[in-house]
């Protein structure tokens, strides 16, 4: 059986250097899900993903993030491998990428993310059990 860990190894990336993120946000009924943002509004998805809860920083400390989105029916889709560097608390207010409301400065951590070419051929095509 092929596992995601096997794919990382084939790409020359140590599993211990990767954090898995599954974006499934149901807090904002009537607004696009992370899957819809990724599919239809990529820049908003990237803005959504680059902010994470301050308390999550220890768990996210790794040079790479493998990003997944939940889709209707509880399935999980791989959407890309990113390099990830913690910048720190969000420096200034900005429009929330999901709701368009205000995402307040200091309310979350911001990360500098870069989509990597490794595993790019699987983005949007690899479903995870």
């Amino acid at each position: 059986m092929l596992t995601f860990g096997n794919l990382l190894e084939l790409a020359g990336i140590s599993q211990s250097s990767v954090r898995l993120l599954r974006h499934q946000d149901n807090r904002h009924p009537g607004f696009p899900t992370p899957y819809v943002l990724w599919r239809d509004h990529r820049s908003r998805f990237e803005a959504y993903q680059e902010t994470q809860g301050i308390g999550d920083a220890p768990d996210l400390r790794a040079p790479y993030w493998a990003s997944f989105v939940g889709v209707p029916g509880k399935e999980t889709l791989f959407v890309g491998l990113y390099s990830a560097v913690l910048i720190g608390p969000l420096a200034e207010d900005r429009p929330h990428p999901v709701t368009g409301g205000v995402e307040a400065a200091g309310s979350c951590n911001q990360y500098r993310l870069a989509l990597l070419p490794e595993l790019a051929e699987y983005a949007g095509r690899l479903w995870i059990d």
Side-chain angles (χ1 to χ4, degrees):
M1 175 190 342
L2 181 63
T3 67
F4 190 73
N6 296 136
L7 287 178
L8 289 172
E9 289 174 13
L10 290 170
I13 298 170
S14 167
Q15 292 181 44
S16 65
S17 66
V18 179
R19 296 298 172 266
L20 306 178
L21 282 78
R22 184 180 187 276
H23 302 293
Q24 178 74 47
D25 192 339
N26 298 318
R27 295 175 295 168
H28 308 289
F31 290 97
T33 65
Y35 167 69
V36 170
L37 290 178
W38 174 80
R39 187 190 66 199
D40 299 340
H41 309 283
R42 194 65 55 93
S43 64
R44 286 173 57 195
F45 173 78
E46 300 296 345
Y48 168 83
Q49 181 174 241
E50 75 182 8
T51 56
Q52 299 290 326
I54 291 173
D56 295 331
D59 294 332
L60 296 175
R61 190 171 291 127
Y64 304 107
W65 289 358
S67 186
F68 301 83
V69 293
V71 297
K74 304 288 186 199
E75 295 175 309
T76 300
L77 179 66
F78 174 68
V79 296
L81 184 68
Y82 293 79
S83 63
V85 176
L86 174 63
I87 296 170
L90 188 63
E92 56 188 39
D93 291 356
R94 71 174 193 172
H96 191 282
V98 174
T99 67
V102 174
E103 190 166 36
S107 65
C108 54
N109 273 335
Q110 186 171 16
Y111 291 80
R112 181 176 22 266
L113 303 178
L115 184 59
L116 300 174
E118 290 84 357
L119 306 181
E121 66 269 27
Y122 298 104
R125 298 172 50 191
L126 177 65
W127 298 91
I128 304 295
D129 280 337

